[in-house]
């Protein structure tokens, strides 16, 4: 078994979300309302695995990711890191734990200080956490830059002197500075050209193999998530609608939304025959005014009366898949 | 063979900047036949947008130098009078962009936008134009078009806005539609809707489409023919099936190898292209511009290899003997080991 194969099924749980909810109060013409960005998500991430989270714009992926690393406080629910409830920890308590997890963002430019050179960018978190002498810190920064593919000549460059993919690698080097065990990556390759995207995906795979890292990888591109993740969670309107092994979910989606999402991927056809496409009608509904019952029911081609009334819960199916649907797509159907 | 609708001959576009000359498009030639869908792919900065904006003379920049010919139905768009150009632009050739808001003015309704477009080219009453607008909005799949015709751009979602722009573009029944990344900003399920719409409209109205995208998947779903750009040049062109099944240029191999497989298998590593794209201000251009990133580069990659038609309708600009291509391609894709 190679190191990049799925985490041991019995590996210890590193991160757990229990019924995480995040509602944003907003003022609209109708008065005060709630944006139900994350609406009760529970999941577990095992040490050494990559959990991919997919879903369309506005489904709450970033908000959930931010709750996981406590960049924002959930409205309710809890987050456990390494078995310890971090939901209500103070900033100071967290600071010592933060070394355990780091976040990488979509826009590497916005998350890097434009006036700080590459080496200093990587050194900064180590200084804040007092991780050794100046010399030790510099040496580790150079080592980290090398890890992500930069020789020493890059150490004194500013972010604007890097290309998009290089900036993303710089962001990764910085995230690795405190030797985290868990990286939450929010759309880390979405802004990059495919050839550069592939470089960064390969780098993340290599780092995981070398350093036994655990990833939560957030993206809207199901093909990318299928490539990198061991398990995939699919979100729709703030809820987790399907969760299962990457290959299984990709090849045999069981939630109608996952099925439609997969069918919408423009695959490279080398055949003359055209596959069946499930084109969803309608727009993404609004997280302020969620449909009753199953949130996906207005766009679902299998919806029946019960779906518009009773909300289906995420339930383990016979094949081990977790699906929130009254009428899951049959196994083996495709 | 019918005469091409559009014929671009040796188009070259450069910008004079403070730091020197930027060559955005470097001598490209191609044709678009009536009713054909041509996909133009390439990485960011490869010159896709600039080349097609030049076709419509939409680059309004005194520091921009344009050379070459752009023949539309036999007439050179680059040299014709502004009045002649105006009668073609919007009527015979329409363009849609990635961000629909570039084509929409926030203070006017969807109906106003479409009606104005119609009335700019045809003498019809406001009432008749408005009726056509409603029809068009219906045909691009906007529900309740009678009332939505009075909605403002911000009252539509991103996907709906793009539909409004497509309705505008189709209002005068153009024979050529240039679509610059029309779905890049949209979610994948909404992208699927828009692509299906474009396919339906294309078969209904029979317009030719030049579809600019960086997404090989989108091209493979839409195009009859594919052109691959790198550094302002065409490096490969051919029918969709030829290019997808047997890509000939090492850059195209890298592009295909960079995409996570969509066939259900998983790769441990992707066959990424090393290095970064060529800088447009790089003045060392008499060579294959992909050579610095190419595993197979040799001294012979200088001077610039020409675009050669090795098989009917399938051409590429690479010095590797054509008989060795299949072998080299296997080597190039080798890092893409399958996961066990
Ligand atoms: N601070 C905030 N105040 C109000 N609403 C917010 C706030 N942050 C996020 N939202 C809303 O919460 C919902 C979820 O947003 P989020 O950014 O988590 O989505 P996402 O899945 O990451 O989308 P994308 O793919 O576009 O990044 C959206 O409707 C968004 O508009
Ligand atoms: N006004 C300008 N002045 C200087 N350089 C320019 C100008 N407009 C475009 N360029 C350069 O021309 C090159 C081609 O740009 P173009 O917009 O055609 O790329 P593209 O292939 O459409 O990329 P993308 O996928 O990012 O849209 C780029 O390197 C760009 O920086
Ligand atoms: Mg997000
Ligand atoms: Mg462009």
């Amino acid at each position: 078994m190679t190191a990049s194969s799925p985490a041991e099924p019995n590996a210890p749980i590193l991160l757990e979300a229990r019924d995480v909810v995040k509602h944003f109060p907003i003022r609209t013409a109708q008065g005060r309302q709630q944006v139900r960005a994350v609406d009760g998500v529970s999941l577990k991430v095992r040490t050494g695995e990559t959990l991919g989270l997919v879903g369309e714009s506005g489904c709450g992926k970033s908000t959930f990711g931010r709750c996981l690393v406590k960049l924002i406080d959930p409205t309710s629910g809890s987050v456990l890191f390494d078995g310890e409830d971090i939901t209500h920890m103070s900033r100071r308590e967290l600071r010592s734990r933060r070394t355990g997890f780091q976040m990488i963002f979509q826009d590497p430019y916005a998350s890097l200080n434009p006036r700080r050179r590459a080496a200093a960018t990587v050194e900064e978190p180590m200084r804040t956490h007092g991780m050794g002498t100046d010399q030790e810190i510099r040496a580790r920064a150079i080592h980290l830059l090398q890890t992500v593919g930069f020789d020493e000549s890059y150490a004194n460059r500013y972010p604007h002197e890097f290309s998009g993919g290089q900036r993303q690698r710089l962001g990764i080097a910085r995230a690795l500075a405190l030797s985290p065990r868990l990286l939450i990556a929010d759309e880390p390759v979405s802004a990059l050209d495919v050839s550069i995207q592939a470089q960064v995906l390969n780098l993340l795979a290599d780092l995981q193999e070398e350093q036994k890292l655990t990833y939560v990888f957030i993206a809207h591109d199901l093909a990318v998530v299928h490539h990198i993740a061991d398990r995939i969670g699919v979100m729709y309107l703030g809820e987790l609608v399907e969760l299962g092994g990457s290959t299984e979910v990709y090849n045999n989606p069981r939630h109608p939304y996952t099925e439609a999402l997969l069918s919408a991927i423009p695959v490279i056809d080398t055949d003359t025959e055209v596959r069946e496409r499930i084109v969803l009608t309608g727009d993404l509904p609004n997280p302020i005014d969620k449909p009753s019952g199953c949130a996906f029911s207005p766009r679902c081609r299998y919806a029946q009366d019960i779906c518009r009334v009773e909300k289906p819960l995420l339930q383990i199916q016979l094949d081990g898949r977790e699906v929130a649907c009254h009428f899951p797509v049959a196994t083996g159907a495709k | 063979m019918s005469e091409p609708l559009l014929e671009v001959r040796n188009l070259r576009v450069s910008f004079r900047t403070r730091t020197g000359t930027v060559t955005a498009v470097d001598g490209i030639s191609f044709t678009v036949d009536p009713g054909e869908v041509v996909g133009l792919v390439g990485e960011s900065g490869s010159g896709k947008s600039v080349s097609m904006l030049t076709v419509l003379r939409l680059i309004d920049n005194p520091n921009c130098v344009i050379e070459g010919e752009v023949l539309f139905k036999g007439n050179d768009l680059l040299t014709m009078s502004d009045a002649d150009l105006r009668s073609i632009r919007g009527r015979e050739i329409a363009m849609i962009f990635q961000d629909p808001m570039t084509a929409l003015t926030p203070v006017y309704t969807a109906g106003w936008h479409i009606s104005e477009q119609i009335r700019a080219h045809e003498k019809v009453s406001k009432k008749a134009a408005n009726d056509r607008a409603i029809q068009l909005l219906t045909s691009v799949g906007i529900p309740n078009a009678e009332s939505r015709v009075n909605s403002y751009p911000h009252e539509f979602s991103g996907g709906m806005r793009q539909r409004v722009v497509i309705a505008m573009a189709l209002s005068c029944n153009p024979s050529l539609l240039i679509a610059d990344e029309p779905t890049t900003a949209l979610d994948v399920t909404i992208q699927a809707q828009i692509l299906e719409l474009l396919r339906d409209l294309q078969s209904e109205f029979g317009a030719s489409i030049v579809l600019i995208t960086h997404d090989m998947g989108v091209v493979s779903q839409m195009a009859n023919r594919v052109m691959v750009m790198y550094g302002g040049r065409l490096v490969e062109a051919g029918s969709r099936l030829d290019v997808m099944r047997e890509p000939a240029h090492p850059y195209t191999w890298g592009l295909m190898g960079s995409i996570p497989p969509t066939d259900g298998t998983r790769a441990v590593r992707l066959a990424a292209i090393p290095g970064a794209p060529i800088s447009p201000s790089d003045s060392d251009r008499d060579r294959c511009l992909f050579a610095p990133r190419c595993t197979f580069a040799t001294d012979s990659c200088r001077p610039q290899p020409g675009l050669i038609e090795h098989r009917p309708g399938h051409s590429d600009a690479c010095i590797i003997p054509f008989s060795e291509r299949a072998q080299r391609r296997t080597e190039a894709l080798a890092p893409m080991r399958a996961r066990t």
Side-chain angles (χ1 to χ4, degrees):
Chain A
M1 207 195 262
T2 66
S4 65
S5 62
E8 305 289 328
N10 299 321
I13 288 162
L14 186 59
L15 180 74
E16 181 175 355
R18 288 188 186 157
D19 202 17
V20 169
V21 172
K22 181 67 190 181
H23 291 177
F24 294 103
I26 52 158
R27 280 169 192 281
T28 66
Q30 286 79 41
R32 282 167 196 275
Q33 289 188 304
Q34 300 283 333
V35 180
R36 292 156 71 179
V38 179
D39 227 3
V41 175
S42 302
L43 51 78
K44 293 173 181 161
V45 186
R46 291 188 185 274
T47 304
E49 82 165 335
T50 300
L51 175 77
L53 281 180
V54 283
E56 290 175 281
S57 184
C59 72
K61 304 180 296 293
S62 298
T63 306
F64 181 64
R66 282 162 197 267
C67 288
L68 291 180
V69 293
K70 283 271 291 172
L71 280 175
I72 52 176
D73 290 326
T75 308
S76 65
S78 49
V79 177
L80 285 75
F81 182 73
D82 214 4
E84 195 176 22
D85 192 334
I86 60 167
T87 330
H88 303 291
M89 273 189 187
S90 69
R91 267 169 192 277
R92 268 188 60 211
E93 283 176 298
L94 259 179
R95 195 156 132 183
S96 60
R97 312 302 196 291
R98 270 251 166 87
T99 60
F101 47 86
Q102 288 293 320
M103 193 143 177
I104 315 173
F105 298 93
Q106 167 168 1
D107 180 358
Y109 206 64
S111 53
L112 297 173
N113 182 337
R115 280 188 292 270
R116 208 170 263 148
R117 296 173 196 271
T121 297
V122 179
E123 286 164 14
E124 195 256 352
M126 294 189 271
R127 293 196 196 286
T128 321
H129 284 86
M131 289 198 15
T133 65
D134 278 2
Q135 258 170 346
E136 284 164 353
I137 287 177
R138 169 54 59 124
R140 179 162 163 76
I142 298 293
H143 170 73
L144 285 164
L145 286 173
Q146 278 164 355
T147 310
V148 298
F150 296 123
D151 60 43
E152 274 201 73
S153 68
Y154 285 86
N156 286 321
R157 292 202 194 175
Y158 290 101
H160 73 87
E161 296 173 279
F162 286 91
S163 69
Q166 289 175 329
R167 281 199 285 263
Q168 194 54 282
R169 273 151 51 197
L170 181 58
I172 293 172
R174 177 182 155 91
L176 292 175
L178 302 175
S179 308
R181 296 163 64 196
L182 170 70
L183 278 185
I184 311 244
D186 188 2
E187 310 261 8
V189 296
S190 306
L192 307 175
D193 269 317
V194 280
S195 75
I196 310 298
Q197 171 177 310
Q199 291 174 1
V200 174
L201 291 175
N202 282 347
L203 171 66
L204 287 172
D206 292 345
L207 290 171
Q208 182 164 49
E209 199 166 322
E210 286 158 25
Q211 309 189 10
K212 304 277 174 291
L213 288 168
T214 305
Y215 292 144
V216 174
F217 188 99
I218 298 171
H220 62 270
D221 186 333
L222 198 44
V224 167
V225 169
H226 168 244
H227 167 72
I228 191 124
D230 303 307
R231 284 193 303 144
I232 296 180
V234 182
M235 288 181 72
Y236 190 78
L237 274 189
E239 296 166 28
L240 199 60
V241 296
E242 178 157 8
L243 182 65
S246 183
T247 314
E248 290 77 17
V249 170
Y250 191 88
N251 291 313
N252 186 192
R254 302 215 47 206
H255 193 284
Y257 175 63
T258 317
E259 186 188 44
L261 202 57
L262 266 160
S263 155
I265 296 179
V267 300
I268 295 183
D269 259 326
T270 47
D271 294 336
T272 27
E273 71 187 272
V274 178
R275 323 172 286 154
E276 187 209 7
R277 293 192 188 85
I278 305 166
V279 175
L280 285 181
T281 50
D283 278 330
L284 276 175
N286 188 330
I288 299 172
D289 186 17
K290 280 173 67 167
S292 63
C294 168
F296 184 58
S297 58
R299 300 174 79 195
C300 180
R301 60 177 188 160
Y302 308 112
Q304 302 190 21
D305 289 344
I306 182 178
C307 305
R308 288 176 268 273
V309 188
E310 195 180 309
K311 187 188 175 80
L313 300 173
L314 193 68
Q315 276 179 335
I316 300 189
Q317 311 291 311
L318 287 175
D319 59 354
R321 188 84 53 85
E322 292 178 58
V323 189
C325 179
H326 293 301
F327 307 101
V329 181
T331 41
K334 208 194 165 186
Chain B
M1 275 273 343
S2 57
E3 185 172 301
L5 182 67
L6 179 75
E7 180 170 7
V8 172
R9 289 189 191 155
N10 209 11
L11 183 68
R12 201 174 292 275
V13 186
S14 53
F15 296 93
R16 286 188 298 259
T17 70
R18 262 180 297 140
T19 48
T21 301
V22 170
T23 308
V25 180
D26 196 5
I28 64 173
S29 303
F30 62 90
T31 57
V32 179
D33 287 336
E36 188 182 34
V37 181
V38 177
L40 184 57
V41 291
E43 285 176 276
S44 187
S46 58
K48 306 182 294 296
S49 298
V50 168
S51 56
M52 294 320 289
L53 288 170
T54 313
V55 162
L56 278 183
R57 265 166 65 187
L58 282 174
I59 298 184
D60 182 21
N61 181 335
N63 292 312
C64 175
V65 182
I66 299 170
E67 295 160 76
E69 287 171 279
V70 175
L71 305 176
F72 180 73
K73 296 186 174 168
N75 301 312
D76 192 348
L77 298 177
L78 296 182
T79 52
M80 73 174 49
S81 71
D82 285 355
D84 287 346
L85 182 68
R86 263 197 304 276
S87 72
I88 289 182
R89 205 157 63 191
R91 197 223 295 266
E92 297 227 48
I93 310 179
M95 188 148 183
I96 49 183
F97 299 94
Q98 171 173 346
D99 179 1
M101 285 314 281
T102 49
L104 299 172
T105 314
V107 295
Y108 293 113
T109 63
W112 181 90
H113 282 97
I114 301 171
S115 303
E116 278 302 295
Q117 187 73 29
I118 297 171
R119 283 158 56 83
H121 297 286
E122 288 170 47
K123 280 201 163 25
V124 290
S125 70
K126 280 198 173 161
K127 170 83 177 65
N130 195 59
D131 288 348
R132 280 259 295 281
I134 293 173
Q135 260 174 31
L136 282 158
L137 287 176
T138 310
S139 71
V140 297
I142 293 196
N144 310 322
E146 299 80 14
S147 62
R148 294 302 263 169
V149 73
N150 297 317
S151 297
Y152 292 89
H154 72 265
E155 295 171 314
F156 290 98
S157 66
M160 287 289 165
R161 268 180 224 149
Q162 198 59 291
R163 285 169 193 265
V164 173
V165 174
I166 293 173
M168 272 168 76
L170 293 175
S171 60
C172 296
N173 250 321
S175 45
L176 175 63
L177 179 65
I178 299 173
D180 190 351
E181 310 258 9
T183 58
T184 305
L186 304 174
D187 270 314
V188 38
T189 60
I190 309 299
Q191 162 168 290
Q193 292 174 2
I194 298 287
L195 294 182
E196 176 153 287
L197 172 66
L198 284 175
R199 261 193 303 266
D200 288 350
L201 295 171
Q202 202 272 334
S203 55
E204 189 180 333
F205 295 97
S208 304
I209 301 180
V210 175
L211 178 69
I212 300 178
T213 174
H214 61 273
D215 188 331
M216 281 294 209
V218 168
V219 159
S220 120
Q221 298 284 303
M222 298 292 294
N224 310 117
R225 215 146 50 78
V226 180
M227 305 193 295
V228 184
M229 277 188 92
Y230 190 81
R233 294 179 188 155
L234 286 178
V235 295
E236 178 161 0
S239 75
R240 171 180 74 94
L241 284 181
D242 280 350
V243 175
M244 299 285 161
R245 280 193 191 145
E246 288 177 76
H249 195 281
Y251 173 63
T252 320
W253 302 338
L255 213 51
M256 306 279 266
S258 295
I259 306 167
T262 48
D263 64 358
T265 63
R266 297 172 73 209
V268 180
R269 290 176 64 81
L270 299 167
I273 307 174
I278 174 144
S279 157
S281 51
D282 194 325
S283 56
D284 180 12
R285 296 187 69 89
D286 190 22
R287 54 167 176 161
C288 168
L289 297 175
F290 184 61
R293 301 174 77 187
C294 181
T295 346
F296 309 106
T298 68
D299 293 344
S300 321
C301 299
R302 189 182 285 279
Q304 174 196 345
L307 199 63
I308 292 172
E309 192 168 340
H310 288 288
R311 283 188 308 198
H314 189 183
S315 39
D316 68 271
C318 178
I319 51 114
I320 300 176
F322 198 70
S323 57
E324 291 172 25
R325 294 292 174 85
Q327 175 60 32
R328 296 283 168 277
R329 176 156 67 99
T330 314
E331 287 167 37
L333 296 179
M336 211 162 167
R337 281 174 287 133
R339 228 179 257 244
T340 42

